[in-house]
Amino acid sequence: MAAAQPPEPADSATVILLREPDPGRCEVLLVERHASSRTLAGAHVFPGGLVDTSDSAPALLAAATDLTPPTAATRRREDLAPEPALAFWIAAIRELFEETGILMATLDGTPLDFGDSALAARFRAHREALLAGELSFADLVERERLRLATDCLEYFSRWITPVNAPRRYDARFFVAELPAGQEAVHDGRETASVAWLAPAVALERTQAGALTLAPPTVRTLEDLRDLGTTACIVEAARARLFPPVLPKVVELGGRMTLLYPGDVAYARAVPGEPAGEDAPGPRNRLVLDGSVWRSIRLPAA
């Protein structure tokens, strides 16, 4: 009998939202997944979710005036048609608003500032209607005559769920700065809380068992920590070429291990099977220690 084909990964968009409460001190927004969530229950993740067919609605594409579909396709550096490419930016903005209440858009040419209590109340009502399925994101954008600030998001990385996972995602990560005059508030449905943490602090809490992170979140936080300031992170996003990362889940040394490209064991590993003896060479992996993913990155000797 032929082996079952792995499920196709669903396209998704994730936002790495940054702020600097003090000059040079960068923090990133993490949302806590609700305990009843089907995926990553209780984990802290970056805001995001599935790309919906409605994210390619003509009204939304037209509202993304600062990033045309052809430019979006070029920035993605992938073989993807222009409109579907731009839909990732739109999905990222929509999901960020749904999960945190932060909306990267302009009204009458001015960035949304919820320091205006009347404006804040109006958009809170829009968010509730959107979450309740009573309003579409395209309807909201048209009703308020918004322009989506797609130019404020930089494509950062792409992570693909391993082939032997029951649910798979092809997640494109974007990096952006927190708009002035806006604050993150959890939605009470998919997310139970929000937290602003320095990447190094989030990683330390994870290693201490006080915070649960998914593997792509661990690796992304390591990148953010090493890059340092918000300006350096955004500049790196504009310049770097980040190939799609497809980890392999194996058993190695009696522990569940995620192997990444560049690891000595990656090429020969078969997902879901014991990896055998660990050979000398470079390490690029995460090892599950109890309930904590511990990152190992060692160059070749």
Side-chain angles (χ1 to χ4, degrees), residues 220-246:
T220 302
L221 286 169
E222 290 177 344
D223 285 349
L224 300 177
R225 176 199 60 197
D226 295 344
L227 288 167
T229 66
T230 298
C232 290
I233 293 167
V234 172
E235 184 60 31
R238 291 173 179 155
R240 74 184 198 160
L241 293 174
F242 193 94
V245 177
L246 175 61

Side-chain angles (χ1 to χ4, degrees), residues 13-60:
T14 296
V15 182
I16 306 164
L17 196 66
L18 308 171
R19 73 174 187 183
E20 286 196 354
D22 300 306
R25 182 164 71 90
C26 177
E27 293 181 337
V28 63
L29 179 65
L30 295 173
V31 296
E32 181 188 8
R33 298 286 295 173
H34 199 278
S36 62
S37 297
R38 295 178 62 196
T39 305
L40 298 174
H44 280 75
V45 299
F46 303 117
L50 294 176
V51 177
D52 193 82
T53 54
S54 64
D55 294 319
S56 298
L60 292 176

Side-chain angles (χ1 to χ4, degrees), residues 122-139:
R122 193 164 86 229
F123 276 84
R124 280 198 301 270
H126 288 327
R127 183 187 180 199
E128 286 298 321
L130 186 62
L131 292 171
E134 299 165 356
L135 179 73
S136 73
F137 191 55
D139 288 340

Side-chain angles (χ1 to χ4, degrees), residues 250-257 287-290 294 296:
V250 299
E251 181 188 317
L252 189 57
R255 294 189 293 180
M256 182 183 293
T257 302
V287 176
L288 189 61
D289 184 1
R294 303 201 185 277
I296 301 175

Side-chain angles (χ1 to χ4, degrees), residues 171-184:
R172 278 71 166 193
F173 284 40
F174 298 86
V175 66
E177 296 183 57
L178 173 69
Q182 297 197 42
E183 296 181 1

